[in-house]
Amino acid sequence: MVERGVNVPQSYRLVRRDARAERTIVRLSSGATFGGDEIAICAGPCGVESREQLDQAAAAVAAAGANVLRGGAYKPRSSPYSFQGLGEEGLKMLRESGDRHGLGVVTEVLDPRDVEKVSRYADMLQIGTRNMQNFPLLREVGAARVPVLLKRGLSATVQEWLLAAEYVMLGGNESVVLCERGVRSFDPATRNLLDIAVVPLLEGMTHLPVIVDPSHAMGIARLVPPTAVASIAAGAHGLLIEVHPDPANALSDGAQSLDCEQFAELMRRLALVAEFVGRRLPQRVKPSAARANGQRKADGAVRSSKSGVRLA
Ligand code: PEP
Ligand code: MN
């Protein structure tokens, strides 16, 4: 198939646009969806640092209208001397704050041996940019029954990225969301170079939803709101945004993190641009209603193993 000059090889058997009659909508067990008319807003700190820090961020992003809480419990840091994350304690905090504020939970899994454990707490497994071609990890999350957020590799081509998604789907996990987070460029003026064009490009190449992470793309908090707005205008199905109650004292990625008020202001702008492109911000379920429906146990016990995919 040739799509706007881009060759889509036969090897994209499962991810290619024409492999499905309809676009995939990935649904988390919390109810959040990626790929439909409703935009998914994943927000929270880069790393889970403490119960207080995480819960303040969760309360603020929920109040502003986000529907998924992000936060790393296992952090892939360039230096082995940097904060590495709180591990399973961090996972428990994510589950508790997610439940308390009616948010789904997305968090990174670094090691194939941790996939089962992270799946017990999270609604979505994040594969970070440094692991996009960690094939044993891709196979392991492919065998999991929890949706996967697959970030684009540091300097991955679109072809390599789609083939990484193919690995996950080949394992039987059809709930894959692609996340553009900027690629390495010649210019250090921004942390990475945000490839917004990839959003409409992928729309013609794959049935999978695509979201954008402007925080890791920019590395500078001031540049996050305009690029978030541009991503939704370009057709992204969601955003991943770093929000910290006290960015100046964050243990990781403080320079690119919005504070709670800046995030609330961004959400007001996003509501307008979403409407402009025929989409809407999340319609959140009240936490008490979610708990009453038995969607979740407060202690983060194993949840349903539904595939999470609905075809539109
Ligand atoms: C993150 O989301 O905090 C993260 C480490 O992202 P990336 O893998 O895109 O660098
Ligand atoms: Mn980060």
Side-chain angles (χ1 to χ4, degrees):
M1 170 173 101
V2 174
E3 182 79 42
R4 293 189 191 189
V6 176
N7 191 23
V8 182
Q10 286 300 330
S11 50
Y12 302 160
R13 289 196 191 153
L14 302 170
V15 304
R16 55 191 295 145
R17 176 66 191 91
D18 59 5
R20 297 282 185 275
E22 307 289 346
R23 296 195 162 278
T24 293
I25 295 182
V26 172
R27 183 181 295 274
L28 307 194
S29 54
S30 63
T33 57
F34 298 71
D37 290 341
E38 188 172 290
I39 287 163
I41 304 288
C42 314
C46 177
V48 179
E49 299 170 5
S50 69
R51 197 174 296 278
E52 295 66 38
Q53 169 251 16
L54 180 68
D55 208 62
Q56 268 185 44
V61 302
N67 57 346
V68 181
L69 176 64
R70 66 143 287 143
Y74 298 93
K75 294 303 302 170
R77 304 306 301 281
S78 299
S79 164
Y81 304 111
S82 300
F83 174 62
Q84 302 286 310
L86 300 180
E88 191 164 0
E89 280 310 301
L91 295 176
K92 288 182 185 159
M93 293 174 195
L94 281 163
R95 185 70 274 154
E96 284 168 15
S97 285
D99 287 344
R100 185 171 303 123
H101 301 288
L103 299 162
V105 168
V106 59
T107 194
E108 179 162 358
V109 57
L110 280 179
D111 186 323
R113 293 167 297 187
D114 289 335
V115 168
E116 192 275 327
K117 180 167 55 188
V118 177
S119 303
R120 271 187 269 134
Y121 296 98
D123 300 297
M124 187 175 220
L125 305 173
Q126 179 173 320
I127 301 297
T129 194
R130 292 158 190 83
N131 271 319
M132 190 206 80
Q133 284 187 315
N134 179 337
F135 300 114
L137 183 60
L138 296 177
R139 288 191 192 279
E140 201 64 34
V141 299
R145 289 294 162 265
V146 181
V148 172
L149 184 65
L150 181 63
K151 288 205 168 188
R152 184 179 188 173
L154 284 173
S155 53
T157 64
V158 168
Q159 173 159 337
E160 288 162 339
W161 189 15
L162 287 174
L163 288 172
E166 188 82 20
Y167 266 90
V168 179
M169 289 193 72
L170 193 57
N173 192 342
E174 306 214 309
S175 301
V176 182
V177 175
L178 300 167
C179 179
E180 160 66 30
R181 46 79 71 205
V183 289
R184 281 246 163 113
S185 93
F186 58 89
D187 188 349
T190 55
R191 185 176 182 183
N192 291 290
L193 193 64
L194 181 58
D195 184 2
I196 287 197
V198 87
V199 174
L201 178 72
L202 284 170
E203 193 178 323
M205 296 177 78
T206 179
H207 54 84
L208 296 174
V210 183
I211 73 167
V212 174
D213 167 359
S215 304
H216 290 88
M218 294 298 113
I220 301 169
R222 187 176 69 80
L223 304 183
V224 169
T227 44
V229 164
S231 301
I232 296 304
H237 291 116
L239 293 167
L240 188 76
I241 310 253
E242 287 189 335
V243 179
H244 194 289
D246 182 12
N249 288 303
L251 296 182
S252 58
D253 286 350
Q256 68 197 32
S257 299
L258 301 185
D259 67 24
C260 299
E261 182 41 47
Q262 289 166 335
F263 178 71
E265 172 58 26
L266 169 60
M267 289 294 281
R268 290 189 279 273
R269 286 173 67 185
L270 288 173
L272 301 174
V273 70
E275 193 181 337
F276 190 70
V277 294
R279 296 240 168 89
R280 58 177 188 275
L281 291 183
Q283 317 287 299
R284 297 183 61 253
V285 185
K286 293 240 173 346
S288 52
R291 272 199 290 272
N293 289 342
Q295 285 178 358
R296 149 110 10 91
K297 293 180 182 141
D299 62 357
V302 186
R303 292 161 302 97
S304 133
S305 61
K306 285 197 299 287
S307 92
V309 163
R310 179 170 73 81
L311 297 178

